[in-house]
Amino acid sequence: MTSLLAEKEKFVVPEEEYIYQGHTLCAGCSAALIIRYVLKVLGPKTICVVPACCFTLMSGRSTYGRDSQLTMPSGLRISILNCAFETAAVTASGVKAGLEAQGDYETTVLAVAGDGGTFDIGLQALSGAAERNDDIMYLCYDNEAYMNTGIQRSSATPDGCWTTTTPLPRPKQGAKKNIMEIMAAHKVPYAATATPAFPFDLMQKVSKAKQKRGTRFFHVLCPCPTGWRFSPEFSIKISRMAVESKVFPLYEIEDGEKYTITYSPRGVPVRQYLELQGRFRHLMTEQHIARIQENVDHHWERLVRQVQA
Amino acid sequence: MEKVISGNYAAAYGAKLARPKFIAFYPITPQTTIVEKLADFSSSGELEAKFIPVESEHSAMAACIGAANTGVRTFTATSSQGLALMHELLFWAAGARLPIVMSNVHRALAPPTNLGADQTDSFAQRDTGWIQLECESAQEVLDSILQAYRIAEEVMLPCMVCHDAFYLSHTYEPVDIPEAELVDSYLPPYVPPFKLDSENRLTFYASSTRCPATQYEFRYHAQQAMERVPAVLRKADEHFYELFGRRYGIVEEYYLDGAELVIVAAGTMVSTVRRVVEEFRQRGERVGLLRIRMFRPFPKEEIRHLLKGVPKVAVFDRNISLGEGGILSQSIKSALYHTDQKPVVFGFIVGLCGVDITQDIVGDIVDYTLQQDTPEEDIIWTEVIR
């Protein structure tokens, strides 16, 4: 279906690891896997810019593994700049400009932010960077709520979802914000979705983005055992089900116009995705499920039309 | 080379001469002509800095923080609402010990929208950890920006150089623009003590929730750095004087000898007060002026030394901390608390929100203060009285 799939056989996963053992993210946290795959592709000439989010538990303080040569070791085997919550994109822009002013055009500056820091409080700065097409990568790992503060709704929280600020009997009302369409409207050179259940797809996309210049955006679904109410061993299964049920299709958008679906989902009923998660437990009436299925089908058909356009 | 330029253009010339490698800009009246002029310098090739036209002042400071972390000299400019929007990141810049230099054009804060001069914007940022300089003339704006980089980069704290809306930002004055080579000898390229790159793998600003004592110690070191500023400023000012023939000091004394009444003021109103002081002196009244140039760190020692034994002090505040009073006035009182022979301090709110401070107003205040033994009120609202 796509060039990425065709190249899958040829893709060699780099052996190098850039995360230390002993990080303090929750058991089963998808963010750790996501960053592991991403850094494998980006390599050591990478600087991560990290606002307030779960990932700071990995990047933002010394972990058990240490590089003994450094007096102030990074939590990863790359440099990390922690920044204010709403500033990930523009701080990355500033870092990139500062490096370029000193002749370093090679280092990749990667902002890594959660959905709160991307869809909500950081959206203005992200829009600014995207409009200027600053030469940065931006990865949003989307766990669909403010998980680091304890499961509060964000504009990435899906319709009908329980969170601590959308308690039952009134779960979140209204659709999740479509961040990919927002980025596409900025005509960024590259935007792609991914999940840790499809690591080759994720790594190939990062590899492709690395060849490009300008603002490159990744929207990576990040199932969260703690906030989504499932047992840690199901993170990958749920990631996969999100894709197979078409809730979270894998695709890329080049220059805001060229849409490509990078994995053909089997189209399993959305119920099978929802029933794995405690945050949707209250929804299990046929009426609710049918409404969600209808929305998922609608968005999938729309995406297929965009691919064909 | 002498040119007749506005205070804002003086700021732009100062910034250009400092050779920053990074500038983030966002427009706000009455600051805009600073960044417009810098954009002109950039497009004509006179200035090599990387420019980012950000989408807010908050992002302007965030971008400067990002760039400054990589070890380059940075500049931005703002005013009023823009500075208020930056508030969060002012703490970040100072806490991160980044020697960012910023022009702030004093403008009133809304509501309602008001473009007039008012010091509350930056005085309200007094606790953020920025060095703050107050300018009286366009020449001083240019010179202070050069000095600001010297001081900031030596103590590793950011520095704000402030001047009043319109009275200075848009008023044209003759300004000596120093030769670039001479400025280069005064302000050599910035060499950061540490910097972010992909070679040395470091984490910057790791969470200290589990080890709060680390951050406690950082605060101590930042305060220690602040306490070094007066000596560093004096040195930077003297070197500046040797090369350019101009110096400004931490505070400026004007007719303080034997003064019975000393007016304490900052910013453009000082020029008006000078004239009034001269007139009173000619009439034999022993009135003097103490200009505050360095507002942060607050020059407590100089104030104690110069105001000791003075019978009366009239503090002119073009600002108000609602619920407390004039910010300068409160700081002066605090500085004098431990001295013997404390003056009686009169606190006047003058020229707030862009109200003109005329020689008549200053004259009336001097007459009033000379007649009164003690202030009738803790905060004296001159315009309301009139």
Side-chain angles (χ1 to χ4, degrees), chain B residues 209-227:
Chain B
T209 308
R210 297 276 175 88
C211 42
T214 312
Q215 195 178 4
Y216 179 101
E217 197 176 323
F218 285 165
R219 292 289 179 272
Y220 167 78
H221 288 302
Q223 172 61 22
Q224 294 294 103
M226 270 291 183
E227 288 173 19

Side-chain angles (χ1 to χ4, degrees), chain A residues 20 24 44-47 49 56 59-62 67 69-87 90-102 104-105 107 124-129 131-132 134, chain B residues 21-24 26 48-72 74 85 88-89 92 96 98 190 192 195-211 218:
Chain A
Y20 289 99
T24 54
K45 287 197 88 63
T46 303
I47 294 174
V49 175
T56 58
S59 67
R61 62 176 190 237
S62 302
D67 189 328
Q69 292 176 325
L70 299 177
T71 52
M72 197 167 89
S74 169
L76 299 167
R77 286 193 166 92
I78 55 161
S79 288
I80 304 286
L81 178 65
N82 288 280
C83 69
F85 199 2
E86 64 279 55
T87 70
V90 70
T91 304
S93 300
V95 169
K96 185 68 185 174
L99 295 175
E100 287 186 351
Q102 297 170 89
D104 176 2
Y105 289 85
T107 296
Q124 177 180 317
L126 175 59
S127 172
E131 183 273 330
R132 295 185 301 269
D134 289 342
Chain B
K21 288 205 164 131
F22 178 83
I23 296 172
Y26 188 80
E48 285 180 14
K50 292 265 176 191
F51 261 77
I52 298 191
V54 286
E55 79 300 330
S56 75
E57 288 91 350
H58 194 275
S59 281
M61 187 45 60
C64 283
I65 288 169
N69 269 298
T70 70
V72 296
T74 59
L85 184 61
E88 177 198 22
L89 295 176
W92 195 289
L98 299 169
Y190 168 48
K195 63 178 197 172
L196 173 71
D197 60 26
S198 54
E199 297 299 316
N200 297 304
R201 299 184 306 241
L202 298 174
T203 294
F204 286 67
Y205 325 125
S207 165
S208 75
T209 308
R210 297 276 175 88
C211 42
F218 285 165

